[in-house]
Amino acid sequence: MTAENGSGAEKSVDDDAESPSPSPTDDLVTTAHSLTIKRRKLVYTATTGRIVLRQEVITDGKFDGNQPKAEVFLTAYTLDGADPTSAR
């Protein structure tokens, strides 16, 4: 399949498939919030976005880096100033 570029010359549509796509990256957004419930003010942080899960690549016993395997979307809410070791 061919397409005409701006100069009038034809190029193969498959030419675009030859350029490697960029490796996916983590993409997180964090925002700060507060709300009041029964006169008690709660301050919390919301984090949402995408995390890329990667697998180690080993070739002939040598580490060749990490290869993207999956992308996971997340949303997390954390109470600011809370003690993570205490259950409540």
Side-chain angles (χ1 to χ4, degrees):
M1 180 184 265
T2 60
E4 187 175 309
N5 65 18
S7 65
E10 290 185 354
K11 73 171 192 166
S12 171
V13 174
D14 295 330
D15 289 345
D16 293 335
E18 292 175 14
S19 61
S21 61
S23 181
T25 59
D26 294 349
D27 184 22
L28 297 173
V29 175
T30 301
T31 56
H33 305 272
S34 66
L35 69 109
T36 303
I37 299 175
K38 295 184 181 180
R39 297 187 197 142
R40 181 174 177 204
K41 184 174 182 178
L42 300 174
V43 180
Y44 66 97
T45 301
T47 303
T48 188
R50 176 186 65 205
I51 294 179
V52 179
L53 304 180
R54 300 179 183 277
Q55 178 181 10
E56 291 182 350
V57 178
I58 299 175
T59 307
D60 296 328
K62 291 181 77 176
F63 177 70
D64 286 335
N66 294 311
Q67 177 182 14
K69 294 303 281 183
E71 296 177 13
V72 178
F73 187 83
L74 70 98
T75 301
Y77 301 95
T78 55
L79 184 62
D80 295 355
D83 180 6
T85 61
S86 68
R88 184 176 156 138

